[in-house]
Amino acid sequence: RGSVPYKCEKPIVYYGSSITMGGCASRPGRCYQNIVAREISCDYINLGFSGSALGEDEMTQYIEGLEMSAFVMDYDHNAPTPEHLQRTHEKMFMAIREAHPEIPIIIMTRPRKKLNEEEMVRHQVIAATYGNAVAGGDDKVYLIDGAKLTALCGDEGTVDGTHPTDFGFASMAAALCDVFRSCGLK
């Protein structure tokens, strides 16, 4: 960025899997966070952990202490079972929301259009976190469905059916930028 300051005072914090980490991007500038950072002029903190983002209490406590403009929650792929996701997802969301009542929190489902039976259960868990937040009056929570994340690339956006290519990351970034613009991050 050189000497040009970001428009956002605080970074966006991303928490999630190897997809969040940027795995399979051809170069660092092609992961979705870098694309978003360039598009809306907002720095970020990438807490992507290949196989290790489990929504742990310790990680939640760490994230609660960070200064941020927004939080993006995307660890479905690392939750070992739908039951684990059920135990941790809404709990993590609620803790981050309590610590940061005014920031946008974006919850994402896995970037995929067609879901198998287990993935549908996981999707329902994530959608329930969102639905419960909205029902409780939260107007700063957003859900990005995996079909929206793959809107530009369709089935051509991964290297292995899971990890996005540069095209897949561009599709994810477009969906996130739409949300960030709608909630005032520009």
Side-chain angles (χ1 to χ4, degrees):
R1 295 236 357 124
S3 62
V4 178
Y6 288 107
K7 290 180 183 175
C8 297
E9 186 177 312
K10 299 173 187 173
I12 299 168
V13 175
Y14 295 87
Y15 176 70
S17 67
S18 56
I19 294 170
T20 307
M21 188 176 72
C24 296
S26 65
R27 56 189 170 85
R30 297 308 308 153
C31 70
Y32 72 84
Q33 298 88 348
N34 273 328
I35 298 168
V36 169
R38 289 189 302 271
E39 187 67 27
I40 66 167
S41 188
C42 191
D43 201 3
Y44 68 92
I45 297 171
N46 186 334
L47 299 174
F49 302 99
S50 183
S52 299
L54 302 172
E56 310 95 316
D57 291 340
E58 296 81 7
M59 184 55 71
T60 300
Q61 291 166 2
Y62 172 74
I63 294 168
E64 287 173 343
L66 296 174
E67 292 292 321
M68 63 186 96
S69 293
F71 178 61
V72 178
M73 194 171 165
D74 178 29
Y75 73 96
D76 172 20
H77 273 294
N78 287 170
T81 64
E83 294 78 22
H84 177 91
L85 191 63
Q86 178 73 48
R87 285 191 309 272
T88 60
H89 197 268
E90 189 163 9
K91 179 181 176 185
M92 180 180 220
F93 169 82
M94 294 299 290
I96 303 298
R97 172 52 77 218
E98 185 175 332
H100 299 277
E102 297 301 318
I103 67 166
I105 297 179
I106 293 87
I107 301 170
M108 300 193 318
T109 67
R110 55 182 61 198
R112 186 172 295 156
K113 287 183 181 184
K114 297 177 187 172
L115 302 176
N116 65 34
E117 190 174 319
E118 180 182 307
E119 291 168 333
M120 284 189 271
V121 172
R122 290 170 175 273
H123 188 283
Q124 290 168 353
V125 169
I126 295 166
T129 298
Y130 170 76
N132 291 339
V134 170
D138 192 330
D139 63 353
K140 293 179 178 21
V141 61
Y142 303 85
L143 174 67
I144 305 178
D145 185 86
K148 176 79 170 161
L149 292 168
T150 60
L152 296 179
C153 64
D155 294 333
E156 302 299 319
T158 71
V159 296
D160 58 2
T162 298
H163 296 91
T165 60
D166 290 355
F167 190 25
F169 281 126
S171 185
M172 292 179 71
L176 277 160
C177 284
D178 286 348
V179 171
F180 287 136
R181 286 185 190 106
S182 76
C183 65
L185 290 178
K186 299 178 182 177

